[in-house]
Structure formats: structure tokens, C-alpha cells
């Protein structure tokens, strides 16, 4: 074998080594202290954090009054119906107006029970790059990831459930009664809102808001990192 051939081969080998080292260094630069945490399961830590948010916070919303008595996510009337609420209370139908709001929240509580499998699937699909970007992102990066990956399938799942829930909890009859009484008031502009779409979107907002609460807690409160993996992974975030 000629010396010239060996020289060329060695040069290519060195180029490969330098390229590999550069890529490794790039990863290390993105993760402060990663060289001291070789083999750390970053994706696993982020999955655990997201699963905690789902189990601790989203599950609360599925209980009776999970939405209705939680002021952070309670579903109020859409702007179009604010005047309906006011008008009904003016003519002594406050209890009917209260029932209408309660029924919207009951439907959201019912629909949220369908969320967990969709969230779990999204968490399972998380890549190392997703985990890296989430860990080193802002305090709501994990929640944003879930919004990006689950909003469409959740809406498709929530919408028919909420429609059925309206019938199950009697919301359809209550709101038909409310809107009929309002539309019979002299000189008012008649309304016919799509409450299923409105409640679906508000339920989704509430779900993501509660996940964001848990994410912020894990990122900022050391005592909320309840496993060794969470402690190790989020310690890297603390150093960024």
C-alpha cells in the first residue's frame, strides 16, 4: 500500500473525527453540563413532567365543578350572550342564567375525560429534539408543544362529546329555553350562538392553562421535582 494512499485515508479519518467532535460539542453547548450527565434521559424527564401535568392538573378538570368552581378556567358566556345574561337577570330570571353557565362548564368537565389518551400519545411521540427545545425553552415550552401537537385531535374529540354532554346534562333544553325567552323580549336583537364550538374552544383553553400551571411549578419549584430523573433533567435547565 502506497504512502500516498495512507496519507489520503488518514486525512479522511481525521476529517470524520473532527466533524463528529464538532457535532458533539454543538450538542454540549446547547445543554450546559451535558458532559457531566452522560446518558441522562432528557426525553424521559420531559415525558415525566408532561405526564405529571396531565395527571395532576387535567384530571382535576374532569371532576364535578372542575371547571365551574375553578376561577382560572371557569367558562363564562360568550360576548354575544353577555347581554342575554344581563337581560334575564333584569327580568328576574337569574337562576335560569346561572343554570345556563353551569351547563357549559358541566359539558367541558365531561369532554375533558377524553383528553388523557390523546395527550399520552403526543408525549410518547416526543423526539430528542423536541425534548431539547422544550427543556431549554421558556416556562411554557412544554405546554406549547402539547398545544401544537394535540389541538386538532382534541377539538375533533371534544366537540361531539360536548354536543352529547349538552343533551345528557340538559344544557340543550336549558339554553333553548334561555334563548327563546331572550328572543321574546321586545326590541332585542335575536341571537342563535354556536355554543358547542364556543364551549369546545374554552374547554381546550382551560386544559392547556392547567398544564401550564404544573409546568411552571416543575420549572421553578425544586420540591415539585419528585423523582431523581426530574431533578437531574431540570437541573440542566437551571444552569442555562
Amino acid at each position: 500500500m502506497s504512502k500516498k494512499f495512507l496519507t489520503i485515508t488518514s486525512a479522511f479519518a481525521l476529517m470524520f473525527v473532527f466533524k463528529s467532535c464538532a457535532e458533539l460539542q454543538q450538542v454540549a453547548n446547547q445543554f450546559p453540563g451535558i458532559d457531566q450527565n452522560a446518558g441522562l434521559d432528557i426525553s424521559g424527564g420531559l415525558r415525566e413532567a408532561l405526564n405529571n401535568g396531565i395527571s395532576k392538573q387535567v384530571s382535576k378538570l374532569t371532576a364535578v365543578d372542575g371547571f365551574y368552581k375553578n376561577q382560572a378556567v371557569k367558562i363564562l358566556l360568550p360576548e354575544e350572550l353577555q347581554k342575554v345574561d344581563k337581560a334575564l337577570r333584569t327580568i328576574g330570571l337569574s337562576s335560569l342564567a346561572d343554570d345556563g353557565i353551569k351547563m357549559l362548564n358541566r359539558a367541558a368537565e365531561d369532554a375533558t375525560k377524553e383528553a388523557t389518551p390523546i395527550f399520552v400519545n403526543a408525549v410518547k411521540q416526543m423526539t430528542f429534539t423536541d425534548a431539547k427545545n422544550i427543556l431549554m425553552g421558556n416556562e411554557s415550552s412544554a405546554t406549547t408543544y402539547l398545544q401544537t401537537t394535540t389541538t386538532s385531535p382534541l377539538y375533533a374529540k371534544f366537540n361531539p362529546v360536548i354536543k352529547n354532554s349538552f343533551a345528557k346534562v340538559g344544557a340543550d333544553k336549558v339554553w333553548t329555553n334561555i334563548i327563546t325567552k331572550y328572543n321574546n323580549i321586545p326590541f332585542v336583537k335575536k341571537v342563535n350562538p354556536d355554543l358547542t364550538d364556543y364551549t369546545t374552544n374554552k374547554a381546550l383553553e382551560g386544559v392547556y392553562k392547567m398544564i401550564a400551571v404544573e409546568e411552571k411549578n416543575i420549572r421553578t419549584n425544586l420540591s415539585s421535582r419528585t423523582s431523581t430523573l426530574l431533578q437531574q433533567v431540570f437541573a440542566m435547565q437551571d444552569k442555562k
Side-chain angles (χ1 to χ4, degrees):
M1 188 177 291
S2 68
K3 290 183 179 180
K4 184 177 180 181
F5 179 78
L6 286 171
T7 301
I8 293 172
T9 302
S10 298
F12 276 114
L14 283 172
M15 287 172 64
F16 177 77
V17 170
F18 287 144
K19 185 175 185 296
S20 299
C21 289
E23 289 173 348
L24 287 171
Q25 185 59 49
Q26 185 178 21
V27 173
N29 289 339
Q30 291 175 318
F31 288 91
I34 197 169
D35 52 328
Q36 287 86 28
N37 294 280
L40 183 59
D41 186 5
I42 297 169
S43 297
L46 266 296
R47 289 191 184 101
E48 183 177 340
L50 284 170
N51 283 328
N52 281 357
I54 294 165
S55 63
K56 290 182 181 179
Q57 299 297 339
V58 177
S59 60
K60 294 178 183 178
L61 299 177
T62 65
V64 174
D65 291 330
F67 272 86
Y68 188 63
K69 289 189 177 179
N70 183 339
Q71 293 305 311
V73 297
K74 181 178 180 178
I75 300 175
L76 303 176
L77 294 179
E79 186 176 349
E80 181 185 8
L81 294 184
Q82 296 288 340
K83 56 188 177 183
V84 176
D85 182 84
K86 184 176 180 180
L88 291 177
R89 295 181 191 282
T90 300
I91 61 175
L93 295 175
S94 295
S95 61
L96 183 60
D98 290 338
D99 284 343
I101 294 173
K102 184 181 291 186
M103 294 302 183
L104 298 183
N105 287 273
R106 288 287 180 267
E109 291 155 10
D110 202 28
T112 303
K113 296 171 185 175
E114 304 292 328
T116 299
I118 294 174
F119 280 136
V120 169
N121 183 60
V123 172
K124 285 180 180 177
Q125 300 301 317
M126 184 189 299
T127 66
F128 176 80
T129 300
D130 292 329
K132 174 191 70 177
N133 292 335
I134 290 168
L135 182 64
M136 307 312 285
N138 60 39
E139 66 179 21
S140 61
S141 291
T143 305
T144 299
Y145 167 80
L146 282 183
Q147 282 182 292
T148 301
T149 56
T150 65
T151 294
S152 293
L154 276 182
Y155 184 96
K157 195 76 172 178
F158 275 30
N159 195 262
V161 173
I162 284 175
K163 186 175 182 178
N164 290 335
S165 293
F166 279 166
K168 185 170 70 175
V169 301
D172 52 348
K173 294 179 181 178
V174 170
W175 274 102
T176 297
N177 188 21
I178 287 173
I179 292 171
T180 299
K181 286 185 180 300
Y182 176 77
N183 286 340
N184 285 335
I185 297 174
F187 309 115
V188 301
K189 182 179 179 180
K190 291 179 171 48
V191 297
N192 187 27
D194 183 350
L195 286 174
T196 302
D197 176 72
Y198 172 78
T199 306
T200 299
N201 283 311
K202 286 297 180 183
L204 290 174
E205 284 180 23
V207 165
Y208 293 124
K209 184 176 287 188
M210 295 309 294
I211 291 174
V213 167
E214 185 63 21
E215 177 180 3
K216 184 176 181 180
N217 191 34
I218 289 175
R219 286 186 183 273
T220 60
N221 184 357
L222 296 180
S223 64
S224 69
R225 300 172 188 177
T226 53
S227 73
T228 300
L229 182 57
L230 283 177
Q231 291 164 6
Q232 292 174 337
V233 168
F234 281 92
M236 296 169 66
Q237 170 223 252
D238 296 340
K239 298 175 184 177
K240 72 177 181 179

